[in-house]
Amino acid sequence: MLAKGLCDSNSINWWRALAVGFMSIGSSGGRRRLGEALREFNFLKLKHGLELPSAVALVFFHKSAERVDHEELDILWKLVAKENERASGASLLLSAQFHLYSGIHAGDRDLACEQFELSRSLIRKVAYSVGGHNWFHKTSLQVVQADQSTLSAIQKQARVLWAWVEILPLADSWQERGLEALRHIDGAAGGSTSNADTLAWDLEGLLVRARYYELVKQHARALDCLNQAVALRSWEPALLEKTKLLISQGDWDQAADTTQRILQQNERSMDGLRLNVLIHMVQKTDGQATEERLLLMIKSMERYEGSNAALFFNTAQTLSRLSSRKAEIVKLTIGLCKKAIELEPCAAAYLVELAREKVMLYDYEGAMQTYRKAGRSDESHIPALYGTIYIHIMLGELDDAEQQLDFLEAISESIEQSSQLPYLKALLAWRHRRDAAEHVRFLQQAEQTHLKFLDKQSTPKIFTRFAKLDPDFLIALSEEYLLHVQFVDLTTSSQSSSINQNSAVRHGIDILTRVSEELPGHVGAHLLLGRAQLALGELNAATVTVSTALDCDSRSASGHLLSSQLALAKSNHRAAAIALDQAAACDFEIRRTPAYALVKAKLCSFKGDPGEALKILQDAMQFPGLRDERATGTLIAVPVVERVAVFVELAEVLSELSRVEEAANVLAEAQERFQGTSEEIRILMSSSMLAIKRDEFETALHMLDAVPHSSPVYSHVQEFKANLHLSIRHDKHSFVQCYRDLVDLSKNAHSYERLGAAYLHIQAPEPAVAAYEQAHRLNPEDSSLAMKIGHALVSTHDYLKATDYYVTALQAHADNIGLRHDLARLFMKLEKYGNATQVLLYALEPVGLSSEVNKIAQDVQSLLLLAQVYACADRGTKDIFEDGMFVAEHSVSGALLKARDLQRIVLEKVQSALESTEIICKEKRIMAEICCKLATCYLNEGKMDDKAMAAYEEALKADNANESCMLQIARLWMKRKNLGKCEEQCVALLRIDSKHEAAAMLLADVQFQKQNHEFAAIKLHKILERDRNNYAALSKLITLLRRAGRLHDVPRFLELAEQSDARAPAHAGLGYCKGLHLRYSNDVIAAIKHFNLARADCTWGPLAIINMIELYLNPDSELQSLCRVTNGPETNVQFHVVGGRTVKLLK
């Protein structure tokens, strides 16, 4: 700046002294530099133009000193008053800037307000003293219309500075002041930008405007202002603000690009280096690359900010929270923390942060020493006491933790509310007393306190925002919630298992979902969320979550292991084995985990090798921390779910090997070790199933009956017992009685809902309706219960009552689109198409005007159902248009075209909103379904093959693996006699599904028409190997073998078809195939007999009749044998009989 002549050395020294002064009052260790700042300002107050700014700075810093020199302050106040009268406009504005910055750095709110008001008063003085224009008192319109040429550079600077003064203070009326700030910026805008100083203040004005729009949540306008600033000049402050805004919007890719642009302009930009590391940690998972960027940032901080303890501390605090507890990253942040402590050894907050980061490395002993050191440094520092209690809990010293927590509770009214206190209470409630209810209650208090604090601390400072978010603490909270995941047996759970999801687990999943959204590259959060979804049986959601985690880090052994567990839950054993091998390849040590052993053992059992499974599980029982819960500084505790699963699986394998007594001993040990945990029910269920295998059904029931009503797992035990009654003894009465007992225990809506589901499960709709109605009376706001009542009424076939109920329910739940759709389907079932249309059109008014994705998606479903109503009406036999409700444009294709247009909007919105892959894929499948229905409609209307082909191709663009769509396209190409295109489509479909019979048969037809009989026969052979009763393929094969002169091969296929199904001899398809073979073998009489057996079938009848007619009408080939047999006067009689039969068939 000196070289360019933009500033003199005195101004630079003034700003340097200002920075030193603020650093000195911002940290206890920096107090020694306050004298340096005071000496510099004392020298600069003698320089022209800096008299007043230096004097007000000296006043502020003298008042901030530990020992205030009141005599010097009196002298300085007199100097300020003197200089205030004769200062120039530039000097006044520089003083106003100082007051603005001192207000920002002031720790006390009253002091901050005082400084802001002093800044305003100096700006007003500039207004009155420069040019005589009192533009502060003009209206907004007058300001905007003012002649820009009359404004001096000083006045423009004053306007911009005034705007900053209005925007930055955290006052209650900042919205009103923000509008005032915009008024001043509008007044300062315009004029020539040739002057560099004017351009700089124009840029400042754009930054003020961007900050205002950011505060009022108009992020698009804020980004537009920042883009304008960058377009004027590639200015680092504007680029930094743009990066922060993009991060707050979750646009990490653009934020990364902007950060790289900053570093290309200035590789020493401290904010740029810090943001670069933060973006890489949040967005990506390349640990080595992150470590390299972090080391580069640390090197720059030590070189250029070596005395800034607060910078080291804040950076370490934020990055450690984002580290996912990766040891390499945490060790580097610990180095930053130690540097801050080296600069300020007595700062208790720095010591507490160092201890917290040691906890992330599970160095509990070292963390305890540091927490105690922080307590000695500042005995009133409560976070140090929180940390000490936490370490006691982690080390199992629960009594000591309880005593210290009691002390904290006694003084809780005098300390600031924190989420740490209820969190520590929750840890003790579970680990010391096994009180699940208290555990969850305190966790909810901690969650609410933490989130409330986040809402209050809305700050544009990105590093501060992530530090306050504290993802590490949120994940710890979710892990505590997920301790209450209750076992869900996906194979034996009742129909009501999905109704009662543990609310504590839902809290944990909600927290993990938020963390995953805020930190898209946090693999740990994704995997923990996937495990929770798997435990709840939400396999599709878990698959999407695990896929996201592996996209972030394809080398994650834990991710591949979880993928293997998911594949096993879906009974995809091959995929489970592949994923398990990938997990071991990524990290060989993962083989020493219980989860790996469980998957490996289950795969061995599936392969029929229980002996190997037993060996694996017995080895797993010796893993550290599996039999006895262990939480030391070197070991992470094994989850209870995995520990119990090993015991249960071992018992099942022993039972399979007929070692029942050993299995019972294993379960008895498990029962003793895990009593009172959420997994206790799993052990109980396994024990009861073991008793049933020993034909001791009553013993199994006694085990389940022993669970007291007060137990948190009582309801799950009752459901399991009900399933045993129904599946083992087929006792419907006892099955329902279990649910009645739950109702007697707690007469709430949920209990009656389960009872209704149980009645429906045994096909007793009348009592199900009564149960659902009682549930709805207890919870009238739940519209899903109204839908269940309607379904139950329909299943009773009392359609009139069901219709009346739906109409009444819609009056109470008018916005429930599901109820409206159910009523429309009921009207359609009753062939009341006009009423069904009226119900749907009401939901569609006004169609397409809403901008909400959910409403548009509902309109799409309504239009699809409306198209179905129109299609059924077209097929109806009676005149359903007589009421005048339908008009000409009410057509199937019209409704489908509207649905397609709306679905395009839905797809655009979910893609632009960066929704999850699962949601986008779901909407694409709906788009493909609409296009396929539209194509089918075109084909039904006739002579619209081109439109149908276009619709199918659009469906394929939306869902490129849609097998139905690919098959229909192939059939259309076949219809057009384009065999090459048809063959290409069939081959593509067979790549997706090699066992797709329809595609294989169509490909065989193509080869048949190409005269490639051998290839066609091979395809049909493969189909018949998989399904010997595929009579369509068999009939085509018979025709091919006849052309190849190999009819002698046909009887073998007919015999295989007949032997593979006991009902095959009576099947019309087999009769047709036998008739076809006999016809080609010139056995006319036998052929007609078999064709006659098939002609009554709706599928094979038309083909059989055609063959019979051809046999009766063809005297030159098949009837030649008949002529040779008769060879006499009776021949004419025979032909007369044949002609009569032909006429009869044609009639």
Side-chain angles (χ1 to χ4, degrees):
M1 293 181 71
L2 284 171
K4 294 179 180 180
L6 299 177
C7 189
D8 60 18
S9 59
N10 291 328
S11 296
I12 291 177
N13 289 334
W14 186 89
W15 285 104
R16 179 183 175 278
L18 180 71
V20 172
F22 283 138
M23 284 179 60
S24 67
I25 65 173
S27 59
S28 58
R31 293 285 180 183
R32 63 182 182 274
R33 301 197 64 187
L34 182 59
E36 179 185 343
L38 293 174
R39 286 192 298 272
E40 190 68 39
F41 281 125
N42 273 316
F43 171 74
L44 291 171
K45 73 181 180 183
L46 304 175
K47 302 298 180 181
H48 177 68
L50 297 176
E51 300 92 340
L52 180 60
S54 299
V56 295
L58 285 167
V59 169
F60 179 81
F61 290 121
H62 268 290
K63 290 170 69 176
S64 302
E66 291 181 354
R67 296 180 181 179
V68 179
D69 188 344
H70 294 285
E71 292 183 4
E72 182 66 19
L73 267 178
D74 291 339
I75 297 172
L76 289 171
W77 275 121
K78 292 177 182 178
L79 178 61
V80 168
K82 177 182 176 183
E83 294 297 335
N84 215 346
E85 296 297 327
R86 62 181 186 179
S88 64
S91 181
L92 288 168
L93 281 185
L94 189 58
S95 302
Q97 280 181 274
F98 174 82
H99 286 305
L100 173 63
Y101 297 144
S102 59
I104 295 171
H105 288 84
D108 180 66
R109 183 179 179 84
D110 293 335
L111 177 60
C113 292
E114 177 189 346
Q115 294 297 317
F116 291 138
E117 189 54 44
L118 286 171
S119 182
R120 289 190 189 95
S121 65
L122 289 174
I123 295 173
R124 290 192 189 99
K125 190 175 176 88
V126 174
Y128 290 127
S129 62
V130 179
H133 297 288
N134 187 11
W135 40 263
F136 285 98
H137 292 152
K138 293 182 180 180
T139 66
S140 176
L141 183 62
Q142 289 172 324
V143 171
V144 174
Q145 292 177 344
D147 185 1
Q148 298 295 333
S149 62
T150 64
L151 295 177
S152 66
I154 292 296
Q155 287 176 316
K156 286 188 177 184
Q157 294 173 23
R159 288 174 184 262
V160 174
L161 190 58
W162 177 272
W164 276 121
V165 172
E166 299 298 349
I167 287 289
L168 290 177
L170 298 175
D172 296 334
S173 59
W174 70 264
Q175 289 94 337
E176 298 175 9
R177 294 183 180 276
L179 293 173
E180 183 73 10
L182 284 187
R183 185 170 72 85
H184 294 308
I185 293 300
D186 290 336
S192 173
T193 59
S194 58
N195 183 277
D197 190 52
T198 302
L199 175 60
W201 285 98
D202 286 343
L203 291 171
E204 283 278 353
L206 286 169
L207 287 188
V208 177
R209 192 183 295 275
R211 176 59 58 84
Y212 169 75
Y213 288 134
E214 186 179 354
L215 288 172
V216 297
K217 308 298 182 185
Q218 296 182 22
H219 296 104
R221 300 184 72 175
L223 189 60
D224 184 54
C225 292
L226 292 171
N227 285 332
Q228 290 181 46
V230 173
L232 284 174
R233 177 188 292 172
S234 188
W235 194 36
E236 184 176 324
L239 288 170
L240 287 169
E241 291 302 318
K242 180 180 177 181
T243 302
K244 295 171 184 176
L245 183 60
L246 290 170
I247 289 175
S248 66
Q249 290 294 99
D251 192 346
W252 294 99
D253 293 330
Q254 281 201 58
D257 294 341
T258 310
T259 306
Q260 291 305 313
R261 184 175 175 182
I262 294 169
L263 293 176
Q264 286 173 2
Q265 290 181 194
N266 179 14
E267 62 181 12
R268 291 163 45 182
S269 171
M270 188 55 59
D271 283 338
L273 288 168
R274 295 172 76 219
L275 288 171
N276 187 35
V277 174
L278 183 143
I279 291 170
H280 211 79
M281 290 182 70
V282 169
Q283 187 189 22
K284 302 177 182 178
T285 56
D286 186 347
Q288 184 175 356
T290 302
E291 191 176 347
E292 290 173 359
R293 285 164 173 77
L294 185 53
L295 285 169
L296 180 64
M297 182 202 72
I298 293 172
K299 183 179 179 182
S300 183
M301 287 174 66
E302 290 176 342
R303 182 174 180 181
Y304 301 110
E305 297 284 349
S307 300
N308 195 339
L311 180 66
F312 284 99
F313 165 71
N314 292 328
T315 305
Q317 185 182 46
T318 301
L319 297 185
S320 66
R321 304 299 187 269
L322 304 175
S323 65
S324 301
R325 298 201 173 191
K326 293 178 181 175
E328 299 79 7
I329 304 297
V330 176
K331 287 176 182 176
L332 291 175
T333 61
I334 284 177
L336 290 172
C337 223
K338 288 181 176 178
K339 178 67 176 177
I341 293 170
E342 181 184 330
L343 293 169
E344 297 186 25
C346 298
Y350 296 178
L351 290 167
V352 167
E353 177 59 29
L354 177 61
R356 170 84 182 269
E357 293 179 19
K358 287 181 178 180
V359 168
M360 293 181 184
L361 295 178
Y362 305 100
D363 180 11
Y364 295 128
E365 295 292 345
M368 177 64 87
Q369 294 176 8
T370 310
Y371 276 129
R372 286 173 175 166
K373 185 177 179 181
R376 290 192 297 272
S377 176
D378 183 357
E379 293 182 357
S380 63
H381 196 67
I382 299 299
L385 188 53
Y386 287 147
T388 304
I389 297 172
Y390 177 80
I391 298 299
H392 279 308
I393 295 172
M394 291 297 103
L395 293 176
E397 300 166 357
L398 302 178
D399 291 330
D400 293 340
E402 190 86 60
Q403 290 176 4
Q404 294 191 25
L405 195 60
D406 290 341
F407 168 73
L408 267 182
E409 283 191 273
I411 62 170
S412 58
E413 293 183 0
S414 61
I415 62 177
E416 184 181 0
Q417 189 179 20
S418 168
S419 58
Q420 289 295 318
L421 183 58
Y423 175 66
L424 293 172
K425 289 180 181 178
L427 294 182
L428 275 174
W430 182 248
R431 286 159 177 78
H432 203 197
R433 299 183 295 276
R434 288 292 174 184
D435 190 334
E438 286 290 290
H439 184 232
V440 173
R441 185 169 67 84
F442 286 129
L443 286 176
Q444 289 175 346
Q445 287 182 14
E447 179 189 356
Q448 291 167 4
T449 305
H450 187 76
L451 296 180
K452 188 189 239 180
F453 179 72
L454 283 179
D455 293 338
K456 288 182 179 179
Q457 298 291 324
S458 55
T459 171
K461 295 181 180 179
I462 294 299
F463 264 74
T464 305
R465 182 168 78 86
F466 280 108
K468 299 299 182 186
L469 177 66
D470 199 351
D472 187 74
F473 175 70
L474 289 176
I475 289 176
L477 264 181
S478 65
E479 286 175 337
E480 292 297 315
Y481 274 128
L482 296 182
L483 290 174
H484 300 280
V485 171
Q486 292 174 342
F487 172 66
V488 176
D489 189 344
L490 301 179
T491 60
T492 61
S493 59
S494 72
Q495 73 287 346
S496 63
S497 62
S498 61
I499 296 175
N500 182 25
Q501 294 291 3
N502 193 313
S503 61
V505 179
R506 284 294 164 197
H507 275 285
I509 287 178
D510 291 342
I511 290 173
L512 290 171
T513 302
R514 174 167 184 169
V515 173
S516 300
E517 290 171 353
E518 292 276 0
L519 313 176
H522 199 301
V523 178
H526 289 304
L527 292 180
L528 196 57
L529 178 59
R531 290 190 190 101
Q533 291 166 336
L534 172 60
L536 293 179
E538 300 174 356
L539 301 184
N540 292 333
T543 302
V544 173
T545 304
V546 174
S547 176
T548 303
L550 290 175
D551 287 343
C552 295
D553 185 6
S554 60
R555 295 288 301 168
S556 171
S558 299
H560 288 295
L561 178 57
L562 186 53
S563 178
S564 178
Q565 291 172 303
L566 267 171
L568 197 61
K570 294 178 179 179
S571 299
N572 190 345
H573 296 86
R574 183 172 177 274
I578 293 172
L580 198 66
D581 291 340
Q582 289 177 327
C586 293
D587 184 1
F588 200 67
E589 289 299 317
I590 203 166
R591 301 193 312 164
R592 296 284 301 167
T593 61
Y596 182 94
L598 276 168
V599 177
K600 190 75 173 175
K602 288 182 178 180
L603 287 175
C604 290
S605 296
F606 173 75
K607 292 176 183 177
D609 190 359
E612 181 64 22
L614 178 63
K615 182 177 180 301
I616 292 170
L617 292 169
Q618 286 175 337
D619 290 341
M621 292 291 286
Q622 308 306 317
F623 289 167
L626 195 136
R627 272 196 160 93
D628 297 311
E629 185 175 7
R630 196 179 299 178
T632 67
T634 57
L635 275 178
I636 306 171
V638 180
V640 176
V641 175
E642 293 181 10
R643 296 168 62 200
V644 172
V646 173
F647 277 91
V648 170
E649 186 66 22
L650 178 58
E652 289 180 2
V653 171
L654 288 168
S655 175
E656 187 179 350
L657 293 171
S658 301
R659 296 162 64 173
V660 179
E661 291 301 324
E662 293 181 53
N665 292 335
V666 169
L667 291 174
E669 181 185 352
Q671 184 71 35
E672 181 182 350
R673 291 184 182 279
F674 302 105
Q675 188 173 7
T677 68
S678 58
E679 291 297 294
E680 183 181 13
I681 182 177
R682 189 172 187 179
I683 302 165
L684 188 62
M685 289 164 60
S686 295
S687 300
S688 60
M689 290 303 295
L690 186 63
I692 291 172
K693 286 181 181 179
R694 294 182 298 197
D695 294 327
E696 298 175 0
F697 189 81
E698 294 300 328
T699 303
L701 289 182
H702 286 316
M703 289 182 187
L704 298 173
D705 290 337
V707 177
H709 293 176
S710 58
S711 172
V713 299
Y714 176 75
S715 60
H716 294 276
V717 170
Q718 286 294 102
E719 291 185 33
F720 180 69
K721 187 167 67 172
N723 282 327
L724 290 182
H725 280 299
L726 191 62
S727 59
I728 305 297
R729 288 192 168 178
H730 309 289
D731 186 348
K732 294 182 179 180
H733 176 76
S734 298
F735 170 77
V736 172
Q737 186 59 45
C738 292
Y739 289 96
R740 286 186 186 140
D741 292 342
L742 288 175
V743 170
D744 293 338
L745 180 66
S746 178
K747 295 182 182 297
N748 55 35
H750 176 60
S751 298
Y752 280 105
E753 186 178 358
R754 282 190 298 199
L755 179 60
Y759 276 124
L760 279 182
H761 189 63
I762 61 172
Q763 298 179 354
E766 289 83 1
V769 170
Y772 280 136
E773 286 177 343
Q774 181 62 29
H776 194 242
R777 278 192 289 270
L778 293 170
N779 187 11
E781 301 301 322
D782 190 352
S783 58
S784 66
L785 288 172
M787 293 178 65
K788 290 178 180 178
I789 294 171
H791 293 162
L793 285 170
V794 170
S795 63
T796 64
H797 304 292
D798 189 350
Y799 299 128
L800 180 60
K801 186 176 180 181
T803 303
D804 292 341
Y805 176 79
Y806 274 123
V807 172
T808 306
L810 277 173
Q811 293 174 357
H813 307 285
D815 296 331
N816 190 309
I817 197 69
L819 274 174
R820 197 166 293 279
H821 286 176
D822 285 347
L823 179 57
R825 291 189 187 96
L826 179 56
F827 279 136
M828 190 163 54
K829 187 173 185 177
L830 299 174
E831 297 186 0
K832 295 182 178 181
Y833 303 118
N835 291 337
T837 303
Q838 189 177 18
V839 168
L840 292 170
L841 289 178
Y842 180 86
L844 288 167
E845 291 178 358
V847 64
L849 295 183
S850 176
S851 60
E852 295 181 7
V853 177
N854 291 336
K855 178 62 173 67
I856 301 174
Q858 288 176 356
D859 287 347
V860 170
Q861 294 303 316
S862 297
L863 285 166
L864 287 175
L865 192 54
L866 186 62
Q868 189 178 348
V869 172
Y870 290 155
C872 292
D874 290 342
R875 291 194 298 268
T877 56
K878 61 181 181 179
D879 186 9
I880 48 86
F881 301 95
E882 58 187 7
D883 56 2
M885 192 174 296
F886 293 86
V887 291
E889 63 268 19
H890 285 162
S891 65
V892 179
S893 59
L896 290 172
L897 284 170
K898 289 180 183 178
R900 184 194 64 182
D901 294 341
L902 289 181
Q903 188 59 25
R904 285 175 178 168
I905 297 173
V906 172
L907 261 177
E908 289 175 4
K909 286 183 176 292
V910 296
Q911 288 173 341
S912 62
L914 300 175
E915 292 285 358
S916 66
T917 308
E918 180 186 19
I919 293 175
I920 294 174
C921 290
K922 175 188 172 184
E923 298 303 333
K924 284 184 175 181
R925 285 194 295 271
I926 294 173
M927 184 67 176
E929 177 192 352
I930 295 170
C931 292
C932 287
K933 288 183 177 180
L934 186 59
T936 303
C937 177
Y938 286 143
L939 291 174
N940 292 338
E941 291 177 4
K943 297 183 180 179
M944 300 184 73
D945 290 359
D946 292 337
K947 286 187 175 182
M949 180 65 80
Y952 278 130
E953 287 176 350
E954 185 175 359
L956 210 55
K957 286 180 183 177
D959 184 5
N960 57 10
N962 190 305
E963 297 179 11
S964 174
C965 180
M966 296 174 76
L967 180 62
Q968 293 303 326
I969 291 175
R971 286 174 176 166
L972 273 177
W973 287 124
M974 174 67 85
K975 184 179 178 181
R976 294 181 177 186
K977 304 300 181 184
N978 192 330
L979 301 182
K981 292 282 189 180
C982 179
E983 184 177 2
E984 288 177 10
Q985 202 66 44
C986 289
V987 170
L989 179 51
L990 288 170
R991 280 199 209 100
I992 297 173
D993 183 3
S994 60
K995 297 180 181 180
H996 199 290
E997 291 187 0
M1001 288 185 63
L1002 192 56
L1003 185 58
D1005 277 347
V1006 171
Q1007 299 302 324
F1008 178 78
Q1009 294 191 32
K1010 286 184 173 182
Q1011 303 299 318
N1012 192 349
H1013 298 154
E1014 285 296 328
F1015 185 84
I1018 290 171
K1019 285 290 180 185
L1020 294 171
H1021 274 183
K1022 290 181 179 179
I1023 294 173
L1024 289 170
E1025 285 174 3
R1026 292 192 295 268
D1027 183 7
R1028 294 175 180 179
N1029 297 106
N1030 189 327
Y1031 300 117
L1034 182 55
S1035 63
K1036 290 180 183 293
L1037 180 62
I1038 291 170
T1039 303
L1040 284 171
L1041 291 177
R1042 180 212 181 192
R1043 288 176 177 269
R1046 293 168 51 194
L1047 278 176
H1048 58 275
D1049 291 340
V1050 174
R1052 180 170 67 89
F1053 290 102
L1054 293 173
E1055 290 174 8
L1056 289 173
E1058 196 164 354
Q1059 292 170 3
S1060 62
D1061 187 359
R1063 294 175 294 179
H1067 197 284
L1070 183 61
Y1072 173 79
C1073 292
K1074 285 184 175 181
L1076 197 62
H1077 172 246
L1078 291 167
R1079 176 186 177 182
Y1080 293 152
S1081 301
N1082 289 327
D1083 191 347
V1084 178
I1085 302 300
I1088 289 176
K1089 181 194 293 186
H1090 283 91
F1091 282 138
N1092 196 47
L1093 292 173
R1095 75 174 188 172
D1097 186 76
C1098 60
T1099 302
W1100 298 100
L1103 294 172
I1105 291 172
I1106 290 171
N1107 277 275
M1108 291 175 73
I1109 292 172
E1110 288 177 351
L1111 284 173
Y1112 286 135
L1113 292 178
N1114 191 347
D1116 296 327
S1117 58
E1118 284 86 352
L1119 292 181
Q1120 286 178 2
S1121 60
L1122 183 61
C1123 295
R1124 285 194 295 271
V1125 171
T1126 56
N1127 195 21
E1130 297 178 353
T1131 303
N1132 292 333
V1133 177
Q1134 295 285 352
F1135 278 110
H1136 177 74
V1137 173
V1138 168
R1141 290 175 179 173
T1142 303
V1143 172
K1144 183 178 179 182
L1145 287 171
L1146 289 172
K1147 287 181 179 180

